[in-house]
Amino acid sequence: MDEQPTIFVGIDVSKDRLDVHLRPSDEAFHVPRNTKELDALARRLSGLPVALIVLEATGGFEASVAAALAAVGLPLCIVNPRQIRDFARAMGRLAKTDTLDAEVIALFAERIRPPARPLPEPERRHFAEFVSRRRQIIGMICMETNRRDQAVDKQLTRRLDRHIGFLEKELAELDSDIGQAIKASPVWCETEALLKSVPGIGDVTARTLLAQLPELGTIGRHQIAALVGIAPINRDSGLMRGRRSIAGGRTSVRGVLYMAALTAIRRGSPFRSFYEQLTQRGRPKKVALVAVMRKLLVTLNAIVRDRTPWRSITA
C-alpha cells in the first residue's frame, strides 16, 4: 500500500477569515474565523497526516486559531511575519493577497520546516498580555511627556498632565496585577526569585522573561540566544569577512536584557569584569555590551534549568 504523503499547512489569519493552503497538494480554501468553523477546521486537519502547521503572529488574531489546533494535538509553529516576507522575497513572490500569503506560508512550512513549539498555557498568555500592556502604557507616558514639554498653551499642558497622571495610575494598578499573578503561581514565584538573584535583573526584566520567553531553561544556550536575537550573524562572502551583527528575535526581551546588562556592568559583578576585558582587548563598547547581554541570558537559562540561584553558584 502506498504511504500517504506528509502534509504541510499554511494559514493566513485575518480578522474575519482564515485562508488555508496545503502542500504538496496545493489545495486551498478559506473559512470564517469563528469558534464553530475553527473546530471544524481542527477536525478536518486532524484527519490528515499533517507534519506541521505554520501561522504568522498577527497581533493576537492567531491566538484563538492556534489554541483550537493545538487542542487536538496538531503540530504547530507561530512565526515572525518578517520571516515569511523575507522568504517570499527570496522566491520572487512580490504580489500579496490573503490567498497568496497562505500559499507562501505553506511553502515556508514545507521547505524551512521550523520546529513545532507547544503553546504557552492560558495563565502565561494572560500574564503576557499584562506585560505587553505595561510596555504600551510606558510608551504612551513617554510620548505624552514629550508633548507636554513642547506645549506652549497652559490649558493644553494641564490636560496633558491629567492624562499622564491617569496613565501613571493605570501603570501602578497593572504592576499590582502582575505581582498578584506571580504570587498566585508557586512556580512563577520561585522562577522570579531565581531570575532576580542575578545582578542586573529586577522586576521588569524578570517578569518580561516569565511572560515572553517560556523556553527559558528548556533549550540550549545557542538556541536561546538565537531565539532572542542576540546571536551574532555571519556576513561573509568569499575572502571578505563582514562584521557580525544581531537581528530578529524577540525585541521586547532584547530590550529588557539591554537595560539589565547596563545595570550589571555598573555594579561590581563578574559581568562588569567580562565587559572590561572585552573593551580592553579593543572591542567596541556596543559590541561588548551585546556580549554581556548574551552571557547574561545564557546564565539565566542555566539558572532556570538547574533551579539554582546565582548566589549559590558564586558562593
Side-chain angles (χ1 to χ4, degrees):
M1 184 180 294
D2 293 336
E3 186 176 342
Q4 197 172 9
T6 299
I7 293 174
F8 295 87
V9 183
I11 302 179
D12 182 75
V13 182
S14 58
K15 182 179 180 180
D16 299 317
R17 80 175 201 176
L18 311 176
D19 285 87
V20 185
H21 194 98
L22 277 57
R23 288 285 303 165
S25 67
D26 282 328
E27 178 186 356
F29 57 93
H30 66 265
V31 298
R33 193 178 74 90
N34 58 52
T35 302
K36 180 181 177 181
E37 295 297 335
L38 284 179
D39 291 342
L41 176 64
R43 288 194 300 271
R44 178 175 179 175
L45 294 178
S46 62
L48 301 174
V50 173
L52 182 66
I53 301 171
V54 171
L55 301 87
E56 288 182 315
T58 55
F61 289 138
E62 80 286 353
S64 59
V65 182
L69 299 175
V72 296
L74 289 165
L76 182 72
C77 181
I78 300 175
V79 301
N80 189 313
R82 185 168 63 180
Q83 291 179 269
I84 304 297
R85 289 197 301 271
D86 291 345
F87 178 77
R89 280 197 292 266
M91 295 179 62
R93 299 286 189 100
L94 302 181
K96 181 175 174 59
T97 67
D98 291 343
T99 302
L100 291 176
D101 286 350
E103 181 184 0
V104 170
I105 295 170
L107 285 167
F108 179 89
E110 181 183 37
R111 298 180 185 179
I112 305 301
R113 303 194 182 188
R117 296 195 181 104
L119 288 181
E121 61 273 18
E123 293 80 6
R124 191 184 296 274
R125 287 203 299 272
H126 295 155
F127 185 60
E129 288 182 352
F130 283 158
V131 173
S132 296
R133 182 57 181 163
R134 184 185 192 279
R135 190 169 61 251
Q136 293 165 2
I137 290 176
I138 289 175
M140 287 189 284
I141 290 174
C142 289
M143 288 187 289
E144 291 292 75
T145 301
N146 290 336
R147 294 184 184 109
R148 182 194 59 193
D149 292 342
Q150 295 171 8
V152 176
D153 185 83
K154 292 183 178 180
Q155 185 177 6
L156 179 59
T157 301
R158 286 194 295 271
R159 288 177 176 174
L160 287 166
D161 282 334
R162 284 200 303 271
H163 192 210
I164 292 169
F166 169 78
L167 291 172
E168 288 175 343
K169 182 180 178 182
E170 286 289 301
L171 182 62
E173 291 179 0
L174 199 54
D175 282 337
S176 176
D177 291 340
I178 291 172
Q180 291 300 321
I182 291 175
K183 290 177 183 177
S185 170
V187 174
W188 286 2
C189 205
E190 179 191 0
T191 304
E192 185 192 37
L194 288 170
L195 295 172
K196 289 170 66 175
S197 71
V198 179
I201 304 298
D203 286 343
V204 173
T205 304
R207 292 170 180 183
T208 302
L209 292 171
L210 281 173
Q212 300 180 345
L213 195 61
E215 298 87 351
L216 194 66
T218 65
I219 58 178
R221 61 178 184 171
H222 299 297
Q223 293 93 334
I224 200 74
L227 195 61
V228 174
I230 52 176
I233 299 173
N234 296 348
R235 300 185 184 276
D236 301 337
S237 178
L239 298 177
M240 187 273 289
R241 295 293 178 266
R243 292 180 61 185
R244 275 48 177 165
S245 61
I246 60 173
R250 300 182 186 174
T251 54
S252 58
V253 176
R254 195 163 61 247
V256 296
L257 281 175
Y258 176 82
M259 298 306 298
L262 280 177
T263 302
I265 63 175
R266 289 169 182 163
R267 297 181 177 181
S269 70
F271 296 110
R272 178 174 181 174
S273 302
F274 176 66
Y275 174 81
E276 290 174 345
Q277 289 171 11
L278 291 174
T279 54
Q280 288 168 5
R281 293 208 303 259
R283 293 287 191 274
K285 291 183 177 180
K286 186 176 290 187
V287 172
L289 186 59
V290 171
V292 172
M293 290 167 61
R294 182 172 182 175
K295 188 176 182 67
L296 189 59
L297 178 62
V298 169
T299 301
L300 293 165
N301 194 53
I303 282 174
V304 174
R305 180 196 64 212
D306 300 335
R307 314 304 292 179
T308 305
W310 166 271
R311 293 180 185 83
S312 298
I313 294 174
T314 56

